[in-house]
Amino acid sequence: MAQTLNYSRPFAVVTGASSGIGRQLAQCAAEKGYDLLIAADEPEISAAAAELKATGVEVDFIQADLATTEGVDKLVAAAMGRPVDILLANAGRGLGHGFLDQAFADAKRVIDTNIVGTVYLVHKIGNEMRGRRTGRILLTGSIAGLMPGAFQAVYNGTKAFVDSFSFALRNELKDSGVSVTCLMPGATDTLFFERAGMLDTKVGTDEKMDPAEVAKIGFEAMLNGEGDVVAGMKNKLQAAAAHVTPSSVLAEQHRKMAAPGTAKN
Ligand SMILES: NC(=O)c1ccc[n+]([C@@H]2O[C@H](COP(=O)([O-])OP(=O)(O)OC[C@H]3O[C@@H](n4cnc5c(N)ncnc54)[C@H](OP(=O)(O)O)[C@@H]3O)[C@@H](O)[C@H]2O)c1
């Protein structure tokens, strides 16, 4: 249940805050003194809220399926009209294996979560921010959006959407007082690869960045009003290379790290 929040502090809404990058983004916001409304689909979100309360800010949580418009409506209702200073639209999921071998419902859920729910949430809260001529939006895109993702084709496509959408919206809002930032992580040590069924892949088993470090980089970029940030030097190099490499080559490289059975052991 939503509770009455203390308006003396700024207010952050963070999605996908039960684990991984989103949990750490919520930590960054709490440590900067933002009251929080955090959301995720599973009951674990209540444990994250309890931990975040130790920072001394007000923390409210909502369990909502953000792949649905009803779930997004539930999240917006839980804010109870309180002006949102920062929106961290981070909830997302991956899905490994060849596209035709995936259950279509699973592939659709990736699209509904990463694109439809994200865009609907940004439309709702973005309008409210523009009306007040202030606010910051951080979208968690990915360097995956820069490369055709053989054996993670739908996921990479959704992140190409998020990366592109973020830059376009940023431009549209450039004189509005609202900034839009795209956090583009590379492989990060979260539940993502396990949930995507990719623990038998090279990318699923290779060394990854710490989600706390990734979140800090994204949070700082958002506060500074930057357009995008690729987390980590190795990922920066990968992103730069992707801009000048033919798509067919990128797809073949992606196959080598994401096809089932590419894990070392
Ligand atoms: N890990 C990486 O290598 C990597 C790289 C680049 C970008 N990213 C992006 O980073 C973001 C966070 O992922 P992560 O790596 O931190 O993975 P994670 O640990 O699996 O966290 C995903 C978060 O999103 C939430 N979520 C997923 N589907 C949802 C839904 N339908 N409704 C509400 N909440 C939902 C999850 O909550 P529930 O458990 O309750 O579903 C969880 O809190 C995603 O957008 C992902 O695409 C990750």
Side-chain angles (χ1 to χ4, degrees):
M1 276 293 280
Q3 300 151 12
T4 307
L5 293 163
N6 181 344
Y7 280 52
S8 65
R9 284 183 287 260
F11 183 41
V13 171
V14 189
T15 70
S18 57
S19 63
I21 297 168
R23 171 67 183 78
Q24 296 303 325
L25 285 170
Q27 190 74 32
C28 291
E31 286 172 4
K32 286 275 182 194
Y34 287 81
D35 284 338
L36 290 171
L37 172 59
I38 61 172
D41 191 26
E42 304 288 340
E44 284 74 13
I45 192 66
S46 68
E51 288 166 14
L52 286 159
K53 277 182 185 160
T55 58
V57 297
E58 295 286 336
V59 184
D60 201 359
F61 71 89
I62 188 95
Q63 192 183 335
D65 182 0
L66 301 176
T68 67
T69 50
E70 295 78 12
V72 174
D73 285 337
K74 205 170 143 187
L75 169 59
V76 172
M80 296 189 301
R82 181 170 178 182
V84 178
D85 295 283
I86 57 173
L87 168 62
L88 290 74
N90 162 84
R93 60 181 62 237
L95 186 63
H97 294 272
F99 171 62
L100 295 181
D101 299 322
Q102 295 167 345
F104 183 71
D106 293 342
K108 182 174 180 295
R109 187 158 177 78
V110 173
I111 296 167
D112 288 343
T113 307
N114 299 6
I115 299 181
V116 181
T118 300
V119 166
Y120 184 45
L121 179 63
V122 169
H123 193 265
K124 292 219 122 177
I125 294 185
N127 259 306
E128 178 262 320
M129 286 177 169
R130 185 175 63 170
R132 289 184 292 114
R133 296 197 61 78
T134 183
R136 297 203 182 279
I137 298 171
L138 180 71
L139 288 151
T140 305
S142 175
I143 64 165
L146 304 175
M147 54 197 88
F151 295 93
Q152 212 186 13
V154 168
Y155 173 75
N156 283 40
T158 65
K159 290 296 165 174
F161 178 96
V162 173
D163 296 351
S164 170
F165 172 75
S166 182
F167 273 103
L169 184 63
R170 176 180 176 80
N171 180 271
E172 289 181 18
L173 295 180
K174 67 180 179 183
D175 299 319
S176 72
V178 180
S179 69
V180 182
T181 301
C182 189
L183 168 60
M184 298 166 77
T188 307
D189 192 9
T190 70
L191 300 173
F192 178 91
F193 292 99
E194 184 185 340
R195 287 174 167 177
M198 295 180 71
L199 290 185
D200 63 344
T201 66
K202 182 171 175 350
V203 64
T205 49
D206 271 357
E207 200 182 330
K208 300 180 183 58
M209 278 189 76
D210 175 359
E213 191 185 350
V214 171
K216 196 165 178 293
I217 290 167
F219 196 83
E220 289 297 323
M222 177 203 63
L223 286 185
N224 293 334
E226 291 167 28
D228 70 315
V229 64
V230 175
M233 186 48 68
K234 192 175 153 217
N235 295 323
K236 282 188 204 300
L237 292 173
Q238 206 181 341
H243 287 300
V244 294
T245 306
S247 293
S248 58
V249 174
L250 290 171
E252 185 61 27
Q253 287 173 351
H254 204 277
R255 162 188 280 267
K256 291 190 173 107
M257 63 179 183
T262 48
K264 281 190 198 109
N265 300 310

